[in-house]
Amino acid sequence: MTTPSTPKGVLILSNDLLTPFAKTSDYLAAALERRQIPAYVRDHAEARLLTFVYSGEMEAKAPLAQEAICDGLRELIEHAGIDTVISLDLNWYVTPGLFIDDAAIRSIHSFWFDDFRSWCTSPWNPCFPASGDVFQRHVKHPKVTHHFYGNSQALEAGLLGVTNQRLTRLAAPRHLAQNQSPCEHTEQLAFIGNPGFRGTPHEGAVKLMDAGAELEELRSFCRDAILQHPDTRSVAWFAEEPSVRNLLAVALEARRQFPYRPALQILQLAGTHYPRAFEFVNEKGIVLDLAFLIKLVNRYDRPAFVHRLWKRGWIDVYSAPDEWKPYGIEAKPYITFGALPGYYRKYAAHLNAPNSIRDATANEKLFEIAASGRLSINLDSPDVRSCYDEGEIMMVDSLAGLESAADKCLNDPDSALACGERARSRSIREHLWDHRIASLVSAPSASV
């Protein structure tokens, strides 16, 4: 049975420790308010802090803290007439039963930025503990809809049993499309962001970049490094069941050949060749850990993208400077959230590349740069291609192609700006957070 889904009131739970989560939560709230749907944004700071406080010797009093958190949110739900909960990833999962057992809450929506493993293992996402299959029952509850922004990301979740899902692309806030700040730099491109996977790069990989290696060579290097220099956990797995190494080797090579295939799907297919290893991996509950290693085959895609143009002196990089130092790149200071719109508009063209640990490539910056009326150069992938066309953005599949595209932008900035304006028009038609909210509230919701 389904019911009309236009919410009477929406609670958006944010994690203000992470700027992308905080700003996007505000974008969602603004889009809801423009549809005359009341939205209430709350950071779950108290829950985060109390999970730390009530651990160890204080654990016996944790139920009191949980109840206090629940009381405060239930009071807001009752007085504000809230019937819908939204968050990025699983930030709505504060404590077991809070929303799924509340008869007033009709639907819960997870807009995924990360993946399940990353969210569950991050120190920034503590939640009150649950025993047995409680967490799984919450994640798969009929009230909960999971929104994935990449086809592979959605397929991976489906393989984990998360069937109540929708493909919902990321988007841009409306104010970016309305910004008219002038273009100040046509002699340089820009990249705004970190290297993606934040582990220390292997010095051999940096040497390859310095020598002009292509993406395929860097992916091969990653494949070999994961097998030849396994971490301590991998060593233990290989010792307990030697065929796991063979399983991983096949999966890593498949990822090298098909860099945008879902890591979990690759692992499952490789398991048909090594059934004992795949059985061991499932028994040990390390499927997501191996999938993470497979994703690392792409870990140098983004750094190599930036490094290639940095060597040519064609790009300004904005980030926390220490993150790019291991790659020999001197980054300009990190850009604050409020200053981002102006910096998008300062440059005629931007570099964009996905984070390797996510099986999704149409990241938020793809839409933000486009909505700002600026051209972005992207690694070609099915997700990106499904959102924008050539002539709105540029797509390349190699570092040589990147250099050629960047050279074209620098020598013909008027053409780059014209592409950016077409991208902005496309964004205004299809890719604002207003469009995502409109789709969400127009879809039927399941009654339970």
Side-chain angles (χ1 to χ4, degrees):
M1 177 181 177
T2 59
T3 59
S5 65
T6 301
K8 296 178 181 177
V10 177
L11 172 61
I12 300 175
L13 282 170
S14 179
N15 185 338
D16 289 353
L17 286 172
L18 305 171
T19 300
F21 286 76
K23 70 181 180 68
T24 303
S25 296
D26 287 342
Y27 298 158
L28 290 166
L32 285 161
E33 294 284 359
R34 283 193 286 271
R35 297 183 70 87
Q36 286 75 55
I37 299 172
Y40 303 83
V41 182
R42 295 292 184 272
D43 174 33
H44 56 32
E46 288 129 340
R48 290 198 308 270
L49 290 170
L50 288 173
T51 59
F52 288 124
V53 171
Y54 289 96
S55 60
E57 295 178 1
M58 297 285 286
E59 187 175 354
K61 294 187 177 181
L64 295 175
Q66 289 178 260
E67 194 57 38
I69 294 295
C70 290
D71 286 347
L73 288 172
R74 286 175 182 144
E75 183 178 4
L76 174 61
I77 289 167
E78 180 181 355
H79 287 289
I82 290 168
D83 59 7
T84 301
V85 177
I86 294 175
S87 77
L88 303 181
D89 294 351
L90 292 176
N91 285 319
W92 59 266
Y93 184 77
V94 178
T95 187
L98 174 58
F99 299 121
I100 67 169
D101 293 339
D102 191 327
I105 300 300
R106 293 192 301 119
S107 59
I108 302 166
H109 297 272
S110 286
F111 285 85
W112 280 89
F113 265 25
D114 272 322
D115 58 86
F116 284 101
R117 180 189 181 278
S118 296
W119 191 88
C120 291
T121 58
S122 170
W124 309 116
N125 298 320
C127 53
F128 290 104
S131 59
D133 66 348
V134 171
F135 178 77
Q136 286 283 344
R137 287 193 289 109
H138 277 64
V139 169
K140 299 175 184 177
H141 193 275
K143 282 186 182 181
V144 181
T145 301
H146 298 272
H147 299 257
F148 298 104
Y149 69 89
N151 296 333
S152 294
Q153 192 183 39
L155 180 56
E156 178 176 281
L159 293 171
L160 292 171
V162 177
T163 56
N164 195 16
Q165 59 166 267
R166 294 175 60 186
L167 186 66
T168 301
R169 301 295 184 192
L170 298 179
R174 190 170 72 171
H175 70 267
L176 289 183
Q178 299 169 336
N179 192 311
Q180 296 298 327
S181 298
C183 177
E184 298 177 10
H185 299 293
T186 58
E187 79 292 349
Q188 291 281 97
L189 284 77
F191 178 80
I192 301 172
N194 59 60
F197 177 65
R198 285 168 158 162
T200 303
H202 193 291
E203 62 179 13
V206 178
K207 287 180 180 177
L208 284 173
M209 292 181 207
D210 285 333
E214 263 294 351
L215 290 174
E216 284 194 6
E217 191 174 352
L218 287 162
R219 290 167 183 163
S220 296
F221 177 89
C222 287
R223 175 202 61 195
D224 296 341
I226 292 167
L227 292 171
Q228 294 170 6
H229 307 287
D231 59 25
T232 53
R233 292 190 308 163
S234 298
V235 169
W237 300 333
F238 299 164
E240 193 169 351
E241 176 49 61
S243 64
V244 171
R245 190 182 190 282
N246 298 328
L247 171 72
L248 183 58
V250 169
L252 291 169
E253 172 58 17
R255 179 70 169 208
R256 186 195 68 80
Q257 293 186 38
F258 306 101
Y260 303 118
R261 286 279 181 90
L264 204 58
Q265 183 189 51
I266 288 174
L267 188 60
Q268 189 177 55
L269 292 172
T272 62
H273 298 281
Y274 296 96
R276 174 63 197 122
F278 194 63
E279 181 182 350
F280 172 86
V281 165
N282 280 283
E283 287 174 353
K284 286 288 184 179
I286 58 173
V287 173
L288 293 182
D289 296 304
L290 255 68
F292 175 76
L293 293 177
I294 294 164
K295 293 174 186 178
L296 290 183
V297 168
N298 301 69
R299 68 171 289 190
Y300 296 119
D301 286 10
R302 182 192 283 186
F305 231 48
V306 176
H307 187 276
R308 178 62 67 99
L309 297 193
W310 172 264
K311 279 191 66 179
R312 296 296 298 267
W314 290 356
I315 193 167
D316 290 334
V317 179
Y318 294 88
S319 182
D322 287 347
E323 295 195 303
W324 283 103
K325 276 184 180 178
Y327 296 95
I329 293 171
E330 296 178 19
K332 295 178 182 293
Y334 180 84
I335 298 173
T336 60
F337 158 55
L340 265 177
Y343 274 87
Y344 283 141
R345 294 280 296 175
K346 278 180 186 288
Y347 292 82
H350 291 256
L351 204 57
N352 186 42
N355 188 330
S356 64
I357 63 173
R358 296 173 188 153
D359 264 343
T361 53
N363 58 10
E364 206 171 15
K365 281 193 172 66
L366 170 70
F367 301 99
E368 293 182 347
I369 295 166
S372 299
R374 295 297 182 252
L375 173 67
S376 64
I377 305 175
N378 301 265
L379 273 171
D380 195 355
S381 71
D383 283 349
V384 172
R385 191 169 284 277
S386 70
C387 298
Y388 293 97
D389 296 328
E390 293 278 5
E392 296 169 338
I393 64 173
M394 298 181 79
M395 291 174 271
V396 301
D397 58 9
S398 67
L399 298 181
L402 166 66
E403 281 197 66
S404 177
D407 186 60
K408 182 177 178 181
C409 291
L410 295 172
N411 284 296
D412 189 1
D414 289 341
S415 178
L417 290 168
C419 287
E421 284 304 319
R422 288 191 289 271
R424 172 152 62 174
S425 296
R426 177 78 175 269
S427 300
I428 291 170
R429 294 195 308 271
E430 299 179 20
H431 295 310
L432 302 181
W433 281 114
D434 298 75
H435 299 113
R436 309 300 181 247
I437 289 297
S439 176
L440 183 149
V441 303
S442 65
S445 61
S447 59
V448 295

